[in-house]
Amino acid sequence: MNRLHPLSGAATALHRGVAGGSIPFFLVSMLDGVFDAVEVGWVFFLAPVGFVVGVAYGAAYYYRFGYELAADTFDIRSGVLSRRSREIPLRRIQNVDISQGIVQRLLGVAVVRIETAGGGETEAELAFVADDEATRLQREIRRLTAEQHAEAPDARSPETDASSAADRADSTGADPDPRPTLLFDLEGRELLLLSLSSVSLSGATLLPLVFVVAGDAVVDLLVSLAEPLGGPADLDDASAPQYGLFAVVSILYGALAAYLLGAAYTFATYYDFRLGSTGDDLVYERGLLQRYSGSIPVDKIQTFSIAENPIQRAIEYAGLRIETAGHGPDGSAGSQSAVPLARRRRVEGFLERATGLETPSFTRPPTLARRRYVARYSLLAAAVVAAAFGVSRVWTIPYWYASALAFAGAPIAAHLRWRNLGYAVADDHLLVRAGFWRRRTHAIPYYRVQTVSTRRSIFQRRLGLGSVVVDTASSRTFARGTPTIHDLEVTDARAIHEETRARLEAARRSRGAEGRELSVTFS
Amino acid sequence: MERLTPRVRVVWLVLALFRAVVLAGLLVGAAVALSETGLWADPPEALVPGAAALALAIGLVRLAVAWRRYAVWRFETRADSLYIERGVFTRTKTVAPYVRVQHVDSRRSPLERATGLATVVVYTAGSRSADVAIPGLTPDRAERLREELRALAIESEGEDAV
């Protein structure tokens, strides 16, 4: 059994110690107000005791935490009082991620996360191990899994047996971890375009923090920014239109700040992004301050998806994401960027080489569907008008009926939604496209399909339409909504439903014989 | 196509009634609180009766849906997949191939035990696995269905899906 890095022992002990010390502090000061028997003075005695107990617990946790990489499992024993011992079969591992914050990089430690399918969280987290140990673990897990693959499932036909024997000879004979073949390298220009074109809200979460730290200075700055445009010189003494103008200008500047922060965040996240392949795995690396590196076994990939927002569509750029059943770093459940941003044609080329999928022509749902969306968005517009009317009853709003302009937006929104819908039934994949603000095109291999459903709401039944929901095991789809082909003619919906099911059966049978269909030979 | 045991309507009706009562309590309670405590200085007279009428209407719709659900629900164990049809407003037809079955549960809530019914839940690795549950079976049928599904799932020996 290996231990974690000694520094992590110190960190856990300190962390627990502070927690242990602060609990009596809060308890005593709270109970002091309620019960007479409790005195504030106890804190001076109890807090140090809590601190010592916390440190002891932290240290014990460190000494009682062990992990080991065995031939076919990854074992972890943890827990001070109630022990937990886990064996994770290597075959079940979805991906192995390493992340390193700035401080961690300075100290030469890293966090290793091992993901499996199922469960709501990361299966195993090693915080922290030395960074060369982290890379060693990642590499060894990859090597052992590859070996297992070569031995186990290919007993089906003599040819694959022969080839797997050759593979094995290769993997034992050659250097176990040759340098990964570089598949994609995010260039400076692409990184800049990515940062500027993707509107990320992650940066905006910093804004409230800025307000808390430097609220007065920010308000002063906003006042001085709004003043030349006709804003108030002093917030305490201004007329209503001046306040209104101040609010509008401040919101605009706030949005600008959020956008810039978001761009900076994206820049730092994808700085120096590289994707490579070694053996049967894809490996990636990225990050300016916080470094991430991960490896994804190719046969654990559930779906590929192309994502693009309107700006990126206008300049013909797109991103490619890989979805697995695991859980990714920074909360992006099981979805990793394979190509953060590149020319659309290049991205499609990538997808084609990875899956053998030529970009097919997409079919749109019938125009009848568009009519549904007009009705739907009109309802939304009606709600806006009703809200404006309601508010105008309480406060006087000039021209509240101007909100009726929202109705003009309904047909436009409906058309845009309809225009960006599409599907294609390819040989090995079902392609589903949807979304205007963030258009996603999912390429779902038939053999990854879990269940197929046709759904028809009462409105759809009236119009003779139906939607097909194709469920896979990728955990990304759980958060994003399962890939759905919306509002098809019901006969088409049934046909696709049947087709998908039949192709799943066929793909599953032939897959057994042919082995893996995905190849890592991207370039 | 197999249908559920008609008794399942009792389970659904009781559940619908229970939820309707809870909702009615909340709605009417909120209306009374608003008009009695003076939070709303001058509430319209129809506030409390209106809330009661709304709660009643929602309750009636719930009951009607619960009754109607039985007529729509159907399932079938096909050669290679489990087929389910359901939904009063949004009609859903689901195909769950046996290869994708991870495990099968049969379970009985207190209400189901009281009415002598059981539910079979089929888990796939998909993100919507809870979608595949067959309620309103006699315990005997649930047991047999579970065994049947288990056997079919083993027979079709899936490559591991994830």
Side-chain angles (χ1 to χ4, degrees):
Chain A
M1 281 276 153
N2 301 326
R3 289 239 175 84
L4 297 173
H5 194 274
L7 266 178
S8 69
T12 326
L14 196 66
H15 184 224
R16 298 281 174 169
V18 170
S22 55
I23 290 171
F25 187 78
F26 283 115
L27 268 185
V28 169
S29 45
M30 219 167 62
L31 293 178
D32 177 49
V34 185
F35 299 106
D36 291 337
V38 181
E39 279 174 43
V40 183
W42 293 7
V43 165
F44 300 107
F45 167 68
L46 283 176
V49 171
F51 181 77
V52 170
V53 170
V55 167
Y57 183 86
Y61 186 84
Y62 167 69
Y63 283 110
R64 299 274 275 165
F65 190 102
Y67 68 90
E68 190 168 22
L69 185 59
D72 48 6
T73 55
F74 186 79
D75 307 341
I76 291 190
R77 300 221 170 112
S78 63
V80 177
L81 297 175
S82 62
R83 296 283 284 165
R84 181 175 179 187
S85 119
R86 248 175 303 179
E87 292 188 358
I88 307 166
L90 294 183
R91 293 175 54 108
R92 291 293 179 211
I93 291 175
Q94 300 276 343
N95 36 325
V96 182
D97 297 317
I98 300 175
S99 69
Q100 258 188 313
I102 315 170
V103 181
Q104 293 162 4
R105 271 165 80 183
L106 288 176
L107 296 174
V109 294
V111 182
V112 178
R113 292 195 182 81
I114 295 172
E115 312 283 349
T116 61
E121 52 181 7
T122 299
E123 188 65 43
E125 185 174 312
L126 305 179
F128 315 96
V129 293
D131 45 13
D132 49 345
E133 168 72 354
T135 14
R136 185 193 73 92
L137 278 176
Q138 201 180 38
R139 203 172 50 214
E140 282 298 290
I141 289 174
R142 208 152 61 208
R143 189 179 63 80
L144 290 169
T145 334
E147 258 174 33
Q148 277 194 350
H149 261 302
E151 282 160 23
D154 287 327
R156 280 163 219 220
S157 67
E159 306 128 79
T160 45
D161 246 5
S163 70
S164 73
D167 276 353
R168 209 167 354 183
D170 268 357
S171 63
T172 44
D175 179 8
D177 190 58
R179 289 199 61 74
T181 330
L182 189 67
L183 299 178
F184 179 80
D185 192 358
L186 191 68
E187 289 161 18
R189 176 190 155 80
E190 288 163 335
L191 176 63
L192 221 59
L193 277 176
L194 174 72
S195 312
L196 294 176
S197 70
S198 52
V199 181
S200 150
L201 287 178
S202 321
T205 49
L206 279 177
L207 281 184
L209 193 76
V210 173
F211 254 102
V212 170
V213 175
D216 289 340
V218 172
V219 171
D220 286 346
L221 179 68
L222 284 174
V223 168
S224 62
L225 281 172
E227 203 187 337
L229 300 167
D234 187 0
L235 271 191
D236 299 327
D237 173 36
S239 62
Q242 276 183 322
Y243 273 128
L245 190 112
F246 173 70
V248 170
V249 170
S250 303
I251 287 171
L252 287 179
Y253 275 115
L256 182 68
Y259 167 75
L260 290 178
L261 277 175
Y265 180 83
T266 314
F267 185 88
T269 310
Y270 287 107
Y271 179 81
D272 195 21
F273 178 93
R274 262 173 298 171
L275 177 79
S277 80
T278 112
D280 282 341
D281 288 34
L282 293 177
V283 288
Y284 67 88
E285 254 178 55
R286 62 179 171 81
L288 176 64
L289 304 174
Q290 170 119 337
R291 284 296 282 179
Y292 279 107
S293 80
S295 73
I296 311 162
V298 167
D299 63 339
K300 295 290 186 197
I301 294 174
Q302 293 283 331
T303 54
F304 280 98
S305 69
I306 295 179
E308 41 194 350
N309 65 26
I311 305 170
Q312 292 162 353
R313 279 204 295 278
I315 55 174
E316 299 213 325
Y317 272 70
L320 182 69
R321 298 192 78 90
I322 294 174
E323 279 151 34
T324 65
H327 297 261
D330 46 44
S332 59
S335 171
Q336 270 92 12
S337 227
V339 177
L341 194 75
R343 283 202 180 279
R344 201 187 150 84
R345 228 173 306 133
R346 202 165 152 217
V347 168
E348 282 169 352
F350 255 81
L351 185 61
E352 188 180 326
R353 283 190 293 277
T355 61
L357 173 77
E358 282 180 40
T359 310
S361 57
F362 283 82
T363 317
R364 279 197 200 115
T367 45
L368 202 56
R370 193 166 45 182
R371 231 179 71 195
R372 273 197 75 199
Y373 306 144
V374 174
R376 189 184 295 172
Y377 292 127
S378 299
L379 281 179
L380 209 63
V384 169
V385 174
F389 174 73
V391 172
S392 77
R393 294 285 94 180
V394 185
W395 295 292
T396 42
I397 304 178
Y399 314 117
W400 67 266
Y401 37 82
S403 62
L405 278 177
F407 279 106
I412 301 171
H415 178 71
L416 288 176
R417 176 177 160 78
W418 175 78
R419 237 188 90 82
N420 286 295
L421 287 177
Y423 68 94
V425 183
D427 285 342
D428 299 319
H429 294 76
L430 183 67
L431 286 106
V432 182
R433 163 185 287 176
F436 169 75
W437 293 112
R438 189 139 188 80
R439 185 165 86 177
R440 279 173 187 279
T441 311
H442 289 275
I444 309 163
Y446 293 113
Y447 63 85
R448 289 298 189 196
V449 172
Q450 295 284 340
T451 60
V452 195
S453 309
T454 312
R455 294 168 67 87
R456 307 184 68 199
S457 70
I458 28 174
F459 306 109
Q460 285 178 313
R461 266 179 281 162
R462 255 187 45 201
L463 296 171
L465 300 174
S467 303
V468 181
V469 184
V470 184
D471 191 19
T472 65
S474 52
S475 31
R476 180 67 176 189
T477 56
F478 187 57
R480 286 273 161 179
T482 318
T484 306
I485 314 177
H486 293 280
D487 297 304
L488 299 168
E489 301 261 12
V490 71
T491 44
D492 289 343
R494 291 217 177 103
I496 290 177
H497 184 130
E498 282 308 308
E499 178 99 15
T500 307
R501 202 184 56 78
R503 288 198 191 220
L504 160 63
E505 274 308 300
R508 209 179 53 72
R509 287 209 189 90
S510 66
R511 214 170 115 77
E514 286 168 21
R516 285 193 288 285
E517 262 165 40
L518 281 168
S519 71
V520 273
T521 50
F522 266 106
S523 43
Chain B
M1 287 281 216
E2 200 172 327
R3 303 192 56 177
L4 308 178
T5 319
R7 265 204 314 269
V8 73
R9 276 180 291 197
V10 177
V11 176
W12 285 337
L13 282 177
V14 170
L15 275 179
L17 199 64
F18 176 71
R19 286 185 187 139
V21 167
V22 170
L23 184 72
L26 285 177
L27 272 178
V28 177
V32 169
L34 266 182
S35 57
E36 291 297 308
T37 53
L39 268 178
W40 190 348
D42 186 22
E45 296 241 320
L47 184 64
V48 175
L54 182 67
L56 187 69
I58 293 176
L60 285 178
V61 171
R62 268 179 184 280
L63 287 177
V65 168
W67 183 260
R68 175 94 184 113
R69 194 176 294 149
Y70 167 74
V72 182
W73 240 104
R74 276 176 184 80
F75 71 95
E76 187 176 35
T77 49
R78 294 182 175 170
D80 56 358
S81 56
L82 178 67
Y83 177 80
I84 295 176
E85 227 179 282
R86 70 200 184 287
V88 175
F89 288 122
T90 300
R91 199 145 303 164
T92 310
K93 297 170 184 179
T94 303
V95 173
Y98 296 133
V99 240
R100 292 313 192 207
V101 173
Q102 299 278 330
H103 66 276
V104 188
D105 269 2
S106 63
R107 64 176 179 216
R108 307 184 69 190
S109 69
L111 195 57
E112 282 175 318
R113 281 203 297 273
T115 43
L117 291 173
T119 299
V120 169
V121 188
V122 181
Y123 293 88
T124 66
S127 39
R128 301 166 70 91
S129 46
D131 267 12
V132 192
I134 308 173
L137 301 166
T138 58
D140 189 37
R141 175 70 186 120
E143 203 81 350
R144 269 188 298 129
L145 184 63
R146 204 187 61 202
E147 283 307 302
E148 203 180 323
L149 288 173
R150 193 181 59 88
L152 285 165
I154 291 171
E155 206 175 282
S156 48
E157 54 156 315
E159 298 244 317
D160 37 3
V162 276

